[in-house]
Amino acid sequence: MFCESTIFAVHKILGMIKITLPDGSVKEFENGSTPMDIAKSISEGLARNVISASFNGTTIETSTELFVDGSLVLFTWNDKEGKKAFWHSTSHVMAQVLEEKFNGIKLTLGPAIENGFYYDVDFGENKISDADFKSIEDRVLEISRDKHEFTMRPVSKAEALEVYKNNEYKTELISNLEDGTITFCDHADFFDLCRGGHIPNTGIIKAMKVMSVAGAYWRGDEKNKQLTRVYGISFPKQKDLTEYLELLEEAKRRDHRKLGKELDLFAFSTKVGQGLPLWLPKGAALRDRLEQFLKKAQKKAGYEQVVTPHIGQKELYVTSGHYAKYGADSFQPITTPADGEEFLLKPMNCPHHCEIYNTKPWSYKDLPKRYAEFGTVYRYEQSGELHGLTRVRGFTQDDAHIFCTPDQLDNEFKKVIDLVLYVFSSLGFENFTAQISLRDKENRDKYIGSDENWEKAENAIINAARDKGLNTVVEYGEAAFYGPKLDFMVRDALGRQWQLGTIQVDYNLPERFELTYKGADDKLHRPVMIHRAPFGSMERFIAILLEHTAGNFPLWLMPEQAIILSLSEKYEKYAEKVLNLLENHEIRALIDNRNETIGKKIRDAEVQKMPFMLIVGEDEEKNGTVSVRRHGQEGKGNITVAIEDFVAIVNEEVAKTLKTFEV
Ligand SMILES: [Zn+2]
Ligand SMILES: [Zn+2]
């Protein structure tokens, strides 16, 4: 029995909260409702799949009770955030198993990463090896099957420090936390210091694999003790794990470092220096072909090629602001015998191009000016960060800077997008989204440039992307302080996402370099600058293209398009004749007239990913034909055709991917 006042109190506690969902709808729920309650109210199906949630931008548990109004996002396995919770939760279970198996180890941190999770552990006297992986995996799944819930428990700082008094790592972490904000996460009979962000229970972890172990310094600092990082990954279905492992195998086969060696494209020399690629003849030819391809399209699009030096006075980068930002740690100055002269290796081409713009006074009628350069730049990367051609210390950007009036932005953006789309379609990238980075709506004062210009630029990007029918994702707060940008995120054949092609508006450098043009009003105005690079860098682009195509580049780009294999030395003359004819038609071919069996010649040509193998023997010579075998087809669909017909086959295939760029 309630008296009136009690009912009132209950009512007050119960109350209602307003929850805003991602589609913008606002619904009322009872005070204390959890994300799971809210999921259930939407649909049973959703509730079955929800594994994590965020409330007002903070990751919470699906069981967290909500007492205030706010925005709620529910995540499933298909969301990045969902995977993160899934993997981080599995790291708890793995930590539990590691503690069971190895006596006296000290747990430190166990976050989710892009693919899976890791746990950094001080194994003390113990050693973990590949031989332990299977039993760890089995035990993780055994525990998981019992559907233990993950629950958060607040603890006082004193209590937390007491619990972890023998673990200096956790003690350090706890010391840096504020009393009243510290939580442990419990599941089964295991607990861990944790901020939260877990799946509802262990039951949905259906597949798990320990991937590897590696050394890792505590907090990434080499002055600290080296710990053991145990990498793992988990999935809601066994099938997902199998697919993932297959993908990894395929990625290994396609690793550009491996393919680059096999195909003789590039190499590294410790004498020359880490992260400084050497392009071998075939790789250099490939690069050159890519450059010519883009130059041709750029010429049509109204770009002018410029060339600038590899170094610049330190002053240049002080003016551009790069020195203050990246300065001392990144670039050691080059000094000359003359006093006071200091140069830096060029880390970017923009300052040089600004100075090219500054060589003349411009009228609005002259704009846009579009300066393009395959500009080689140098940036310091830690040796541990270097990776094949994707992370290097010297690379060539397919750079260009467009100087235009604010009113021309719209049109210029569309033109750049056209060019990028042309590049993608010619190179077989079909799956991409455009990520648009705009200002943080709340903190507009942290950006340079007038509100009006920003508005113009942001609208130009959004309109251009919409106009071109791009799949877009808008990220607020991701713009650079000097301007908004559009990045093309490309999915490769293995489903991995890469950032390729960037278009960036800049209000800062025109200001710093005092760039001007005379407007229709006869007054001086600042031009807007666009930085853009469809490939990004030649090195990184070729690496991604290698992995995307597994070395089977589009035919127009292949270093060699055909190899002529003579059945014996008797047919060498005829092979020469075929080669001549092909060369007359600008088909890149070569002859293999080694004294080897035809089987061996074919196998070697296959390894070299030669698109066409042309076998010539008695019949072919007699009839003026070639026997055509395609790469990777194991002789299926071999045809014998006249040489002219083979030329037509090649031209037709080239024309399929390489179209003419239309402005
Ligand atoms: Zn946790
Ligand atoms: Zn630039």
Side-chain angles (χ1 to χ4, degrees):
M1 269 269 248
F2 293 110
C3 72
E4 239 183 73
S5 63
T6 324
I7 292 170
F8 180 68
V10 169
H11 181 72
K12 205 171 168 192
I13 293 165
L14 287 179
M16 296 302 269
I17 47 169
K18 285 199 182 77
I19 298 295
T20 311
L21 295 166
D23 64 1
S25 65
V26 181
K27 285 186 181 154
E28 290 215 332
F29 293 92
E30 271 175 26
N31 212 345
S33 294
T34 66
M36 192 52 86
D37 296 333
I38 295 168
K40 275 182 190 147
S41 83
I42 298 170
S43 87
E44 275 301 322
L46 179 63
R48 263 196 306 279
N49 289 314
V50 164
I51 58 175
S52 170
S54 87
F55 189 63
N56 293 335
T58 308
T59 305
I60 54 167
E61 314 293 304
T62 55
S63 58
T64 305
E65 295 178 324
L66 305 174
F67 295 102
V68 289
D69 299 346
S71 313
L72 180 73
V73 189
L74 300 167
F75 301 114
T76 70
W77 166 256
N78 294 324
D79 300 300
K80 212 166 145 190
E81 289 301 316
K83 285 191 178 70
K84 208 170 141 190
F86 194 93
W87 286 332
H88 167 68
S89 304
T90 316
S91 89
H92 279 274
V93 186
M94 186 179 78
Q96 175 189 7
V97 173
L98 293 177
E99 263 195 350
E100 269 178 25
K101 273 184 75 80
F102 301 96
N103 257 332
I105 61 168
K106 290 172 185 169
L107 299 173
T108 70
L109 287 164
I113 50 177
E114 203 188 334
N115 288 302
F117 55 88
Y118 66 75
Y119 213 114
D120 281 351
V121 183
D122 181 347
F123 274 88
E125 302 294 295
N126 302 280
K127 273 217 154 53
I128 181 172
S129 76
D130 297 15
D132 300 307
F133 292 1
K134 177 79 172 65
S135 66
I136 296 170
E137 293 157 9
D138 289 347
R139 180 71 182 129
V140 165
L141 292 179
E142 189 182 13
I143 293 169
S144 297
R145 275 194 289 275
D146 288 335
K147 297 188 182 157
H148 301 287
E149 278 177 23
F150 291 97
T151 48
M152 299 303 291
R153 160 166 59 103
V155 286
S156 70
K157 193 164 181 168
E159 192 189 339
L161 286 170
E162 172 61 25
V163 168
Y164 282 113
K165 64 172 183 252
N166 295 321
N167 181 330
E168 61 271 33
Y169 310 100
K170 297 278 191 195
T171 304
E172 188 183 319
L173 294 174
I174 296 162
S175 308
N176 293 325
L177 295 173
E178 225 166 274
D179 204 359
T181 66
I182 302 170
T183 46
F184 284 179
C185 173
D186 294 303
H187 81 267
D189 53 1
F190 178 84
F191 64 88
D192 201 349
L193 173 72
C194 186
R195 233 190 327 239
H198 306 93
I199 54 178
N201 68 69
T202 59
I204 54 174
I205 303 168
K206 293 281 173 33
M208 187 264 171
K209 190 153 176 64
V210 180
M211 299 301 293
S212 59
V213 289
Y217 294 104
W218 167 236
R219 306 212 122 177
D221 186 341
E222 54 192 281
K223 285 187 219 91
N224 288 339
K225 182 156 183 194
Q226 193 171 42
L227 308 169
T228 303
R229 179 165 294 181
V230 187
Y231 286 98
I233 196 161
S234 58
F235 294 92
K237 282 184 198 136
Q238 180 60 42
K239 185 174 134 265
D240 297 336
L241 173 61
T242 311
E243 276 173 18
Y244 176 74
L245 295 176
E246 281 168 7
L247 210 65
L248 274 191
E249 276 309 306
E250 184 56 30
K252 255 190 229 161
R253 278 193 288 273
R254 289 174 179 235
D255 189 321
H256 74 275
R257 295 167 300 177
K258 177 174 164 285
L259 286 174
K261 208 176 270 170
E262 287 169 9
L263 302 178
D264 258 341
L265 299 176
F266 58 88
F268 289 91
S269 142
T270 44
K271 274 217 176 76
V272 172
Q274 284 185 307
L276 299 169
L278 302 174
W279 290 89
L280 308 179
K282 270 168 90 179
L286 175 88
R287 228 181 110 126
D288 185 54
R289 200 157 296 121
L290 271 176
E291 289 191 10
Q292 296 309 328
F293 153 77
L294 187 58
K295 269 187 190 165
K296 200 169 153 189
Q298 283 181 169
K299 189 163 181 233
K300 268 197 151 175
Y303 289 78
E304 298 168 286
Q305 284 294 130
V306 295
V307 177
T308 63
H310 286 232
I311 61 174
Q313 281 205 88
K314 180 179 154 189
E315 214 34 51
L316 180 69
Y317 304 103
V318 171
T319 303
S320 72
H322 292 121
Y323 190 78
K325 200 151 189 240
Y326 307 105
D329 338 316
S330 305
F331 316 108
Q332 294 308 307
I334 304 163
T335 49
T336 65
D339 278 345
E341 276 196 319
E342 267 191 317
F343 293 89
L344 298 178
L345 280 173
K346 174 163 76 173
M348 54 271 295
N349 306 300
C350 347
H352 289 75
H353 289 190
C354 286
E355 282 305 286
I356 289 183
Y357 180 90
N358 257 345
T359 54
K360 269 197 198 120
W362 301 106
S363 140
Y364 70 100
K365 291 179 209 147
D366 303 319
L367 302 186
K369 293 305 292 178
R370 307 181 189 94
Y371 297 132
E373 175 176 18
F374 286 91
T376 304
V377 296
Y378 302 90
R379 295 179 191 173
Y380 179 73
E381 298 272 1
Q382 287 183 4
S383 58
E385 301 284 311
L386 297 171
H387 181 89
L389 290 182
T390 53
R391 283 295 274 279
V392 286
R393 286 175 171 169
F395 55 95
T396 303
Q397 295 178 310
D398 55 322
D399 214 354
H401 295 98
I402 300 169
F403 301 90
C404 65
T405 72
D407 292 334
Q408 290 168 334
L409 258 187
D410 232 43
N411 200 28
E412 283 310 300
F413 238 91
K414 281 182 195 155
K415 287 176 107 161
V416 177
I417 291 178
D418 280 340
L419 186 68
V420 174
L421 295 183
Y422 171 69
V423 167
F424 288 177
S425 82
S426 306
L427 289 154
F429 288 107
E430 282 152 9
N431 195 344
F432 52 84
T433 48
Q435 185 176 310
I436 299 176
S437 302
L438 305 178
R439 277 176 302 179
D440 177 351
K441 288 181 189 160
E442 316 287 307
N443 294 302
R444 295 227 153 147
D445 45 345
K446 65 178 191 192
Y447 304 93
I448 175 169
S450 73
D451 216 40
E452 189 198 342
N453 277 341
W454 267 87
E455 202 104 312
K456 243 182 208 164
E458 291 186 334
N459 287 334
I461 297 181
I462 294 166
N463 291 339
R466 188 185 307 141
D467 211 62
K468 297 293 166 193
L470 301 179
N471 265 332
T472 54
V473 187
V474 176
E475 303 273 3
Y476 289 96
E478 288 296 309
F481 75 93
Y482 52 80
K485 62 174 178 171
L486 187 156
D487 291 313
F488 285 89
M489 310 300 289
V490 176
R491 243 175 230 295
D492 72 6
L494 298 186
R496 297 169 302 181
Q497 189 159 282
W498 302 88
Q499 190 220 308
L500 279 182
T502 178
I503 318 176
Q504 193 153 3
V505 179
D506 188 346
Y507 291 111
N508 181 43
L509 287 186
E511 203 66 43
R512 286 178 164 267
F513 281 90
E514 298 178 18
L515 309 184
T516 57
Y517 67 91
K518 194 178 266 179
D521 56 2
D522 246 14
K523 288 189 185 127
L524 289 181
H525 298 270
R526 287 261 181 267
V528 190
M529 189 172 171
I530 301 175
H531 310 251
R532 43 104 285 178
F535 294 148
S537 87
M538 301 308 288
E539 284 71 11
R540 193 163 165 279
F541 187 79
I542 290 173
I544 294 166
L545 193 60
L546 259 170
E547 300 199 358
H548 177 57
T549 62
N552 300 303
F553 300 114
L555 191 56
W556 67 266
L557 187 60
M558 277 312 258
E560 273 120 11
Q561 295 164 313
I563 187 163
I564 305 157
L565 311 176
S566 50
L567 275 174
S568 83
E569 57 201 25
K570 277 196 283 178
Y571 311 109
E572 257 170 46
K573 270 247 153 60
Y574 180 61
E576 294 281 348
K577 189 184 155 196
V578 174
L579 180 66
N580 253 322
L581 268 163
L582 295 182
E583 282 177 344
N584 288 344
H585 288 92
E586 285 179 28
I587 290 172
R588 297 182 291 279
L590 75 166
I591 300 175
D592 181 355
N593 53 15
R594 290 174 303 163
N595 192 13
E596 293 284 358
T597 63
I598 193 72
K600 165 88 171 128
K601 289 182 181 180
I602 289 174
R603 278 194 301 280
D604 290 350
E606 287 282 356
V607 171
Q608 285 294 307
K609 317 232 173 205
M610 210 57 81
F612 292 102
M613 288 153 264
L614 307 180
I615 299 154
V616 294
E618 195 181 340
D619 285 350
E620 286 80 10
E621 179 166 17
K622 201 166 68 199
N623 303 323
T625 57
V626 288
S627 276
V628 185
R629 181 186 162 113
R630 283 232 65 165
H631 168 70
Q633 304 217 334
E634 289 161 14
K636 273 177 271 159
N638 283 5
I639 45 166
T640 301
V641 293
I643 302 169
E644 293 71 30
D645 292 339
F646 174 67
V647 171
I649 291 172
V650 171
N651 288 339
E652 197 179 310
E653 185 166 330
V654 165
K656 251 190 246 162
T657 41
L658 186 63
K659 309 235 159 44
T660 318
F661 180 57
E662 306 289 349
V663 184

